[in-house]
Amino acid sequence: MAYSPIEDYGLIGDMHTAALVGTDGSIDWCCLPRFDAPSVFARVLDADKGGYFQVAPRGGQGTSTQFYWPETNVLVTRFLSGDGVGEVRDFMPVAGRADEADRRQIVRMVRAVRGAVTFRVVCHPAFDYARADHDTDLTRNGACFRGADQALSLATEADLAREGDGVVADVTLEEGESTTLLLRNIDPGDGCAPTLGAGEAERAFRDTVQYWRDWLSQCTYTGRWREQVHRSALALKLLTYEPTGAIVAAPTCSLPEDIGGIRNWDYRYTWVRDAAFTLYAFLRIGFTEEAREFIGFLSNTCRLEAAGEGPLQIMYGIDGRTELPEETLDHLEGYCGSAPVRVGNGAYDQLQLDIYGEITDAIYLHDKYGAPISYETWQSVRRFANWVCENWDRPDEGVWEVRGGRQQFVYSKLMCWVTVDRALRLSRKRSLPAPETEWQQCRDAIYEAIMNDGWNEERQAFTQQLGGDTLDASNLVMPLVRFISPGDHRMLSTLDATLQSPDQGGLVTGGLVYRYNVDETEEGLEGEEGTFNICTFWLVEALTRAGQVEPERLENARLIFEQMLGYSNHLGLYAEETGTHGEALGNVPQAFTHLALISAAYNLDRALDEDKATNSRGGGF
């Protein structure tokens, strides 16, 4: 295949940027020096022009396995063949743990574990999404690739040869021997970086391993599925941008939700919604520092103090910039021909009322589990609540960012209710000044609107829109945000309707959940899509909570959750969606999915423990 399956990639990073590394030893996606910079390798978006950096046994025979060094984000690709066993350890030294930490660096430690192995090294950068030319200079320490605005240094002891505008080398290693390749971004006028000796490479490796182990040791989660929760936490940490505390939705752009289709989006930005949910996931398992840093990002970068002047923006650049114009890169064919390739995101100026609820809930949870709310943040919460009280009944583009026009989405109303409810709770808990009477009247009005117009008597379910009849998986969040009792007959009936197969009007197929029926939703887009992984984890949580009144639903939640764990890739990572053949679709790894896994695991584990304790006290068999 010209393109590796999306699920064949692992991720390395340093909280500034990240790179996708395939099971074939190829780095097929990397943006330097930060997540949202133009790519230097993008073969995942164009097999011919995109650029890549591969280290693999010559000839490509044998098999490969890939795994993370335990409790770290150091990625090991191991190659097994008749000649022996070779491996590549890939990592990015974390800032503060290596010399010249201001440079982004990729370290590739290559070694022969058993036998003699000849590795083929191929490095073909393609600057600025393969739009910019560059010169290639060979040096005695490797090679430099210089474009007009950007340059890379590849430091190695290997004997490189020019191949077009890239370089190649064959490196034969006997059992126990190793060599290291160091790729780093440099200024176009700088000299090439020195090579890393064996001792220096080993120290960088050990420092990076120790950093990740130290970080993960803060995790307070000790329940079932600990390994999967740890991997999701490590993945989420890789998606944080250390200088500001921002959290990207995914480190990639334009990986398709439908192979050959047009649903290809750039996720290298901070969605208020995704990041707020991520904050909750971090808080639940003990990572309060990440939560604090994100609150700081919102306060300092997104200018919360000005939020009362108009709608809050749904996403920001990782540096806090507010304009993210979308453009298409028509010179790239897209993953498996999925065009157009988009960079930037035209949804940045959409109206999405739900984000007020997610951000206010995040602030409420940080006050509860992190640190008490500050005066400045409370002022922002007051403005959020006041603005929502005046605007909650407006149509919007909704949580799924439809491009077919604004509609009266039930989920948007639900999260407006959350905005005012959490503001009221904060006011009462901290004795903070607030117009409580007005807020309570607004909260009650939203509640009545959802119960009267968001409920479809014929379908016996909450629907996608007020007065509508289409189901939407986002309504599974209702009991999660404490809008409705998980045992309320309306919620149980909505669960039953959702659990039906699509041909019966439901959203679940084989235990996986579609976000909605694309044929019944005015999206403004063509094509199909896979099941949404976050929606499956939402279903698990909704079933878990329903198990309080109908215990058999708890076991169903566990079965669906554990089945869903089997749809991760070989490293425990998830893209946005799962296709009809179990393949990964969309940008990868996706923060939304991993935070939902953590939340579902946390709440399901707690519910199972409570159920076990109840049965034990009851003298069960």
Side-chain angles (χ1 to χ4, degrees):
M1 289 180 61
Y3 292 89
S4 295
I6 293 172
E7 61 268 22
D8 277 6
Y9 288 101
L11 189 74
I12 59 173
D14 63 357
M15 283 82 75
H16 287 254
T17 189
L20 290 185
V21 185
T23 54
D24 59 356
S26 183
I27 295 177
D28 289 348
W29 176 257
C30 183
C31 300
L32 294 172
R34 57 188 228 177
F35 291 109
D36 57 354
S39 64
V40 296
F41 302 118
R43 184 159 72 166
V44 74
L45 295 180
D46 193 301
D48 294 326
K49 298 191 291 285
Y52 65 102
F53 179 17
Q54 186 171 23
V55 181
R58 188 178 61 188
Q61 296 182 353
T63 60
S64 67
T65 62
Q66 197 175 56
F67 58 92
Y68 281 110
W69 203 268
E71 300 183 325
T72 79
N73 281 315
V74 174
L75 188 64
V76 181
T77 307
R78 184 170 291 164
F79 301 95
L80 314 173
S81 70
D83 295 329
V85 178
E87 70 177 29
V88 181
R89 297 179 184 176
D90 287 312
F91 61 93
M92 298 182 73
V94 180
R97 294 283 176 143
D99 293 337
E100 298 186 63
D102 58 317
R103 295 293 184 190
R104 312 275 59 84
Q105 304 175 95
I106 296 175
V107 178
R108 313 202 73 181
M109 299 175 65
V110 187
R111 62 196 308 145
V113 180
R114 302 187 67 178
V117 183
T118 298
F119 290 89
R120 181 75 166 173
V121 177
V122 184
C123 186
H124 278 275
F127 294 124
D128 191 22
Y129 306 112
R131 292 183 294 192
D133 296 329
H134 67 267
D135 296 324
T136 301
D137 299 324
L138 296 180
T139 72
R140 60 189 181 87
N141 293 324
C144 282
F145 311 95
R146 290 189 172 89
D149 302 314
Q150 191 173 18
L152 292 176
S153 166
L154 175 59
T156 177
E157 296 174 349
D159 186 16
L160 298 174
R162 193 187 308 272
E163 182 181 73
D165 58 2
V167 295
V168 298
D170 287 332
V171 181
T172 300
L173 300 174
E174 300 294 332
E175 185 170 316
E177 291 183 339
S178 65
T179 189
T180 299
L181 299 100
L182 174 65
L183 184 81
R184 71 188 329 189
N185 64 303
I186 59 175
D187 293 329
D190 289 351
C192 292
T195 58
L196 276 183
E200 294 174 300
E202 183 67 19
R203 282 194 297 275
F205 166 74
R206 289 177 179 269
D207 278 352
T208 304
V209 166
Q210 193 61 48
Y211 172 86
W212 289 114
R213 285 177 175 170
D214 289 345
W215 181 81
L216 191 60
S217 68
Q218 303 171 69
C219 184
T220 57
Y221 182 83
T222 58
R224 304 167 181 84
W225 316 295
R226 180 181 174 188
E227 184 176 343
Q228 291 88 345
V229 168
H230 281 182
R231 179 49 53 198
S232 289
L234 285 163
L236 289 175
K237 182 62 173 175
L238 280 181
L239 302 184
T240 60
Y241 183 59
E242 189 174 63
T244 64
I247 302 167
V248 297
T252 57
C253 72
S254 280
L255 291 180
E257 299 175 13
D258 175 27
I259 300 297
I262 64 172
R263 299 168 184 261
N264 318 313
W265 316 109
D266 190 347
Y267 279 8
R268 298 171 299 156
Y269 308 110
T270 295
W271 268 255
V272 170
R273 173 190 310 112
D274 296 40
F277 279 131
T278 302
L279 181 148
Y280 168 76
F282 274 142
L283 282 172
R284 296 313 291 148
I285 58 175
F287 295 104
T288 56
E289 181 66 17
E290 283 69 24
R292 184 191 64 79
E293 290 175 353
F294 177 64
I295 291 292
F297 171 76
L298 289 174
S299 299
N300 300 325
T301 312
C302 299
R303 295 178 291 279
L304 293 191
E305 65 276 9
E309 298 176 4
L312 187 66
Q313 191 157 310
I314 71 166
M315 74 178 86
Y316 296 87
I318 55 176
D319 57 358
R321 72 186 188 279
T322 57
E323 294 188 7
L324 308 170
E326 184 173 295
E327 63 175 313
T328 60
L329 305 180
D330 296 330
H331 66 290
L332 298 178
E333 73 169 6
Y335 178 84
C336 291
S338 304
V341 172
R342 294 183 174 92
V343 294
N345 199 302
Y348 76 91
D349 59 354
Q350 284 190 351
L351 175 64
Q352 295 180 20
L353 297 174
D354 65 282
I355 64 172
Y356 284 92
E358 284 121 6
I359 191 172
T360 306
D361 196 37
I363 293 169
Y364 169 77
L365 291 169
H366 188 252
D367 174 87
K368 184 174 182 179
Y369 298 110
I373 189 171
S374 69
Y375 172 78
E376 288 76 16
T377 305
W378 173 243
Q379 292 300 96
S380 296
V381 170
R382 290 176 68 178
R383 280 189 283 267
F384 291 161
N386 289 334
W387 192 90
V388 164
C389 286
E390 295 175 359
N391 294 276
W392 70 267
D393 56 353
R394 293 171 60 180
D396 70 342
E397 278 89 0
V399 61
W400 305 125
E401 297 173 6
V402 298
R403 300 195 177 193
R406 295 178 178 177
Q407 301 165 52
Q408 294 284 4
F409 290 108
V410 170
Y411 180 81
S412 297
K413 312 308 177 190
L414 169 69
M415 298 311 289
C416 284
W417 179 91
V418 169
T419 305
V420 185
D421 178 74
R422 299 313 190 259
L424 281 166
R425 292 187 187 209
L426 280 167
S427 170
R428 291 164 181 168
K429 179 181 179 182
R430 297 295 180 189
S431 300
L432 296 168
E436 289 194 10
T437 301
E438 291 84 348
W439 286 359
Q440 187 164 334
Q441 290 173 346
C442 173
R443 184 186 64 178
D444 294 348
I446 300 172
Y447 180 89
E448 297 292 354
I450 294 174
M451 285 300 188
N452 292 329
D453 300 326
W455 170 259
N456 185 293
E457 190 66 27
E458 182 177 348
R459 296 215 62 178
Q460 286 292 293
F462 289 106
T463 53
Q464 183 181 73
Q465 301 176 43
L466 297 180
D469 58 8
T470 298
L471 297 182
D472 194 301
S474 62
N475 289 332
L476 295 170
V477 174
M478 285 183 173
L480 278 56
V481 297
R482 304 185 184 279
F483 172 82
I484 188 173
S485 165
D488 188 289
H489 78 91
R490 289 191 174 200
M491 195 62 229
L492 295 175
S493 181
T494 299
L495 269 174
D496 290 336
T498 302
L499 283 163
Q500 297 297 311
S501 64
D503 59 0
Q504 295 176 317
L507 299 176
V508 177
T509 177
L512 304 179
V513 185
Y514 290 97
R515 54 181 178 169
Y516 49 70
N517 186 321
V518 295
D519 296 327
E520 298 177 359
T521 301
E522 297 178 20
E523 299 179 292
L525 297 168
E526 296 179 354
E528 299 296 323
E529 61 186 23
T531 55
F532 261 62
N533 294 328
I534 188 174
C535 295
T536 302
F537 288 121
W538 281 346
L539 175 62
V540 169
E541 279 213 62
L543 287 169
T544 297
R545 298 181 189 235
Q548 297 171 14
V549 292
E550 295 184 352
E552 66 275 10
R553 293 188 186 266
L554 182 60
E555 182 59 25
N556 194 19
R558 180 171 187 169
L559 291 172
I560 292 174
F561 179 76
E562 291 180 333
Q563 174 185 267
M564 187 59 188
L565 294 180
Y567 282 101
S568 71
N569 77 350
H570 57 290
L571 298 168
L573 301 179
Y574 291 88
E576 184 174 29
E577 302 179 19
T578 299
T580 54
H581 304 290
E583 74 276 18
L585 294 173
N587 289 304
V588 64
Q590 198 209 30
F592 224 175
T593 299
H594 284 280
L595 65 90
L597 184 155
I598 291 172
S599 181
Y602 179 90
N603 288 294
L604 178 57
D605 180 71
R606 183 172 60 179
L608 288 169
D609 283 346
E610 292 172 352
D611 183 65
K612 182 179 179 180
T614 299
N615 290 335
S616 176
R617 288 193 299 271
F621 293 100

